[in-house]
Amino acid sequence: MFFCYFYIKKNYFTKHAIHNFYQAKLAAIKIHKYAPGSFYCGCQIIWKQKKGIPNLINCGYKIRKNQNRANRIEWEHVVPAWQFGHEKQCWKKGGRKNCLNNPEYKHIESDLHNLQPAIGEINADRSNFMYDELNSHFSTYGKCNMKIDFQKKLAEPPNRSKGMIARTYFYMSHQYNIIISQKQKKLFYIWNKNFPVTKWECDRDNLIFQIQGNHNNYIYKQCNKKF
């Protein structure tokens, strides 16, 4: 087995067996075969080798526009690639594709704690929009209560994913010095409190630890107290 290293706060390194986004996605499939459903909408996922197919009828999902992407599972970066990549020189000189050979960017991009199985259409629509609380009660995705304001470039996820989103942002901020605005910190503190860890969240953290070698301590510490 080949190992590489990923950069973390305080400038020391930790071994793991993932060294690119492709390998991370393969590992994520193994982990999320145990998941209770897709990240935002909770749709049952049917795994066929390297492909995940959401059971849209199972969760009452309504396709907004993109039928092809709605019928496949994609790996959503909770903290979007733009947020941890756009200030790097490689990104400034050629966007995300130009960062694919940048070791530090590759390590952050492939961090399993930040990857979630999402319906492809939701992944596309959310894009790199920041999370927020939206006033509208209207969802364009049927029973999936995902709200996206395309004009304001904001997204409000269903309650089922808010706590995990908050704890992922805290982890990524601590691990890679990613800046979170005060407004978002305040929102994530509320989500972390109102939506505590679930059994699946704890199981997922342990499965990632077995592969990647580190915990998300914002999840792990709560798990030790709760389960």
Side-chain angles (χ1 to χ4, degrees):
M1 180 180 291
F2 291 96
F3 289 94
C4 73
Y5 298 86
F6 65 95
Y7 178 82
I8 62 176
K9 197 174 181 182
K10 297 182 181 177
N11 296 320
Y12 63 92
F13 298 84
T14 300
K15 285 185 178 182
H16 71 8
I18 308 294
H19 60 263
N20 59 49
F21 187 37
Y22 175 75
Q23 288 188 346
K25 289 188 288 185
L26 294 181
I29 290 171
K30 295 179 181 179
I31 292 167
H32 290 87
K33 283 184 178 180
Y34 304 97
S38 63
F39 183 55
Y40 295 115
C41 303
C43 301
Q44 177 190 17
I45 302 174
I46 302 167
W47 294 103
K48 294 185 177 180
Q49 295 181 338
K50 298 178 183 179
K51 295 181 179 180
I53 302 169
N55 185 340
L56 302 183
I57 296 175
N58 166 262
C59 60
Y61 184 89
K62 179 181 177 182
I63 299 174
R64 183 185 73 86
K65 183 179 180 181
N66 194 326
Q67 184 172 355
N68 287 335
R69 293 186 74 170
N71 281 287
R72 72 189 190 206
I73 290 296
E74 297 179 358
W75 293 103
E76 163 87 309
H77 285 95
V78 175
V79 178
W82 177 89
Q83 193 167 1
F84 58 73
H86 76 282
E87 292 186 350
K88 299 187 184 302
Q89 286 300 314
C90 57
W91 193 290
K92 292 177 180 178
K93 293 181 179 180
R96 182 175 180 176
K97 290 183 179 179
N98 198 47
C99 286
L100 296 180
N101 292 321
N102 179 284
E104 184 181 359
Y105 173 85
K106 284 169 63 178
H107 295 322
I108 303 174
E109 183 187 44
S110 64
D111 193 313
L112 292 167
H113 288 292
N114 191 40
L115 295 180
Q116 293 285 357
I119 292 173
E121 182 177 47
I122 296 287
N123 183 34
D125 287 355
R126 187 252 166 153
S127 184
N128 60 6
F129 298 172
M130 295 295 101
Y131 295 110
D132 204 346
E133 296 275 3
L134 302 178
N135 294 326
S136 172
H137 295 288
F138 180 72
S139 172
T140 59
Y141 305 100
K143 292 183 179 180
C144 177
N145 194 29
M146 181 76 178
K147 304 171 189 175
I148 297 179
D149 189 324
F150 294 98
Q151 291 186 332
K152 295 181 180 179
K153 297 185 176 181
L154 296 171
E156 180 181 354
N159 289 344
R160 72 185 309 276
S161 56
K162 286 179 178 177
M164 194 178 292
I165 287 169
R167 289 179 281 277
T168 301
Y169 258 87
F170 292 150
Y171 162 83
M172 292 291 286
S173 176
H174 176 83
Q175 195 83 335
Y176 303 110
N177 296 313
I178 295 171
I179 298 173
I180 306 176
S181 70
Q182 289 300 316
K183 179 182 178 182
Q184 286 232 298
K185 281 184 182 179
K186 183 177 180 180
L187 176 67
F188 293 150
Y189 284 134
I190 294 171
W191 286 2
N192 179 50
K193 179 180 179 181
N194 291 346
F195 305 100
V197 295
T198 63
K199 182 64 165 59
W200 160 245
E201 196 173 350
C202 296
D203 290 344
R204 175 180 177 272
D205 180 74
N206 280 319
L207 289 169
I208 292 173
F209 174 78
Q210 292 172 26
I211 295 173
Q212 188 168 284
N214 73 318
H215 289 286
N216 176 341
N217 283 326
Y218 297 93
I219 294 171
Y220 184 62
K221 290 179 180 179
Q222 289 192 42
C223 295
N224 287 339
K225 295 178 181 178
K226 189 173 181 180
F227 298 107

